[in-house]
Amino acid sequence: STFISFSHRLLKMEEFFPESFRLDLKDERNAFFELCKEEQIWICKPSHSNQGRGISLLRNPAAVNTLQAKLHSTEEYLLSKRVPYKAPQARIVQRYIHQPLLLEGKKFDVRSYLLIACTAPYVVFFAQGYVRLTCVNYDAASDDLTVHLTNQYMQKKNSLYSQLKDETVWRMENFNSYVNEKFGKTKGLPKDWVFTVFTKRMQQIMLQCFLAAKGKLDRKLGYFDLIGCDFLIDENFKVWLLEMNANPALHTDCKVLRDVIPAVVHESL
């Protein structure tokens, strides 16, 4: 793992985080429903969940209207019952990235790790993780969630998963060689882009997220946490943070994970 040092300027959020709104906050909810009139895809996900549970795609204004009506009727119902006001379930909607970089035609994202080792003093480490690919080729128009979501819990729902399991996870070294070979020349990337430019960018983004939350952490004596961070690279090689997970999966049910996960856990401890 690498000790993260802070030497960069801070990024603007739109430089690394797809536009997102919290549906449990009225102002953000209204802003989203104002904005999303045009035809484009949004991804809607619960904010306190993992494994892709409860995620849906809002493909068009009709889907957005259905969601708006559902939220409104829940609110009305709660008011009519005179129950103590309960905010709608915390969900966020996030602008869907249409042109992801593909590996052999498949959508992928990168899971890496942020270890907050100590909060007094602050000590933060980064560890490389692995690449997660879908079983089937990418098609933006598909209604099949396993085409759009790369996490393994979702991929297991695809009938091809059992035979392709070991191909859905790549080591970072494999990813680096692939990028060197396939895109190095055509995109004019520096050699080992994955381990230089991309890795630095992931660290910069993780550190900025840590700095945003550190005020909440310094009140917790003895706090440490291993956080799984998911990054997506688009076809222009722009790096996006999709989400940070406080309870990352540490199972080792395919070959690459048996190489990567035990070392991450061992080093964390």
Side-chain angles (χ1 to χ4, degrees):
S1 58
T2 315
F3 185 77
I4 300 185
S5 67
F6 184 55
S7 59
H8 298 282
R9 70 182 179 90
L10 289 178
L11 298 167
K12 292 193 174 75
M13 266 182 83
E14 60 266 24
E15 289 181 74
F16 69 89
F17 192 60
E19 191 173 11
S20 301
F21 298 88
R22 278 178 58 176
L23 295 182
D24 56 324
L25 299 179
K26 195 162 193 172
D27 289 353
E28 292 207 15
R29 192 162 70 236
N30 293 343
F32 169 66
F33 289 129
E34 271 306 299
L35 177 79
C36 63
K37 301 282 187 271
E38 70 269 40
E39 289 280 335
Q40 54 179 310
I41 306 179
W42 293 81
I43 189 161
C44 180
K45 47 191 177 183
S47 43
H48 298 293
S49 181
N50 57 3
Q51 301 183 317
R53 275 190 289 252
I55 291 185
S56 58
L57 292 183
L58 304 172
R59 300 198 142 273
N60 48 45
V64 172
N65 292 340
T66 306
L67 174 69
Q68 191 171 12
K70 192 172 139 191
L71 289 175
H72 186 70
S73 67
T74 308
E75 213 163 25
E76 295 283 291
Y77 171 76
L78 291 171
L79 286 171
S80 71
K81 287 284 179 234
R82 299 222 166 93
V83 291
Y85 180 71
K86 191 165 141 282
Q89 185 200 6
R91 291 181 159 274
I92 70 164
V93 282
Q94 187 174 69
R95 197 183 280 278
Y96 184 85
I97 293 163
H98 280 273
Q99 280 91 29
L101 183 66
L102 302 178
L103 301 181
E104 291 170 352
K106 297 178 173 65
K107 188 175 175 181
F108 73 96
D109 68 5
V110 174
R111 161 61 58 92
S112 22
Y113 297 97
L114 171 68
L115 174 66
I116 300 169
C118 183
T119 59
Y122 291 118
V123 182
V124 182
F125 291 91
F126 164 84
Q128 293 283 10
Y130 53 94
V131 177
R132 310 183 295 186
L133 297 91
T134 56
C135 294
V136 287
N137 281 12
Y138 180 65
D139 168 14
S142 172
D143 284 328
D144 178 359
L145 274 178
T146 66
V147 170
H148 301 279
L149 302 180
T150 54
N151 67 10
Q152 284 205 293
Y153 182 81
M154 287 305 295
Q155 289 307 308
K156 282 175 183 167
K157 297 181 178 189
N158 191 299
S159 54
L160 295 168
Y161 178 78
S162 52
Q163 68 201 66
L164 296 174
K165 186 168 79 171
D166 281 325
E167 290 164 42
T168 63
V169 184
W170 285 11
R171 292 183 63 101
M172 294 299 284
E173 289 78 2
N174 184 5
F175 177 42
N176 182 56
S177 310
Y178 185 90
V179 169
N180 280 347
E181 192 183 318
K182 282 273 191 294
F183 304 112
K185 288 230 166 36
T186 56
K187 295 281 185 180
L189 300 175
K191 189 175 174 352
D192 297 333
W193 178 87
V194 166
F195 288 132
T196 54
V197 179
F198 175 53
T199 295
K200 281 203 183 90
R201 189 60 148 194
M202 286 193 292
Q203 292 177 350
Q204 183 183 14
I205 291 169
M206 283 178 181
L207 188 61
Q208 187 160 330
C209 293
F210 167 75
L211 291 172
K214 86 183 216 278
K216 293 178 179 174
L217 303 178
D218 60 12
R219 296 193 290 278
K220 297 186 180 180
L221 191 65
Y223 170 86
F224 66 93
D225 207 350
L226 180 68
I227 296 170
C229 306
D230 297 338
F231 292 93
L232 186 131
I233 300 165
D234 69 21
E235 58 182 18
N236 299 316
F237 285 80
K238 183 169 166 142
V239 178
W240 297 94
L241 171 69
L242 296 181
E243 58 185 42
M244 299 179 100
N245 299 276
N247 183 17
L250 297 171
H251 51 67
T252 52
D253 57 3
C254 71
K255 190 181 176 315
V256 170
L257 295 178
R258 284 193 286 280
D259 290 343
V260 173
I261 301 288
V264 167
V265 172
H266 184 80
E267 284 199 27
S268 298
L269 295 173

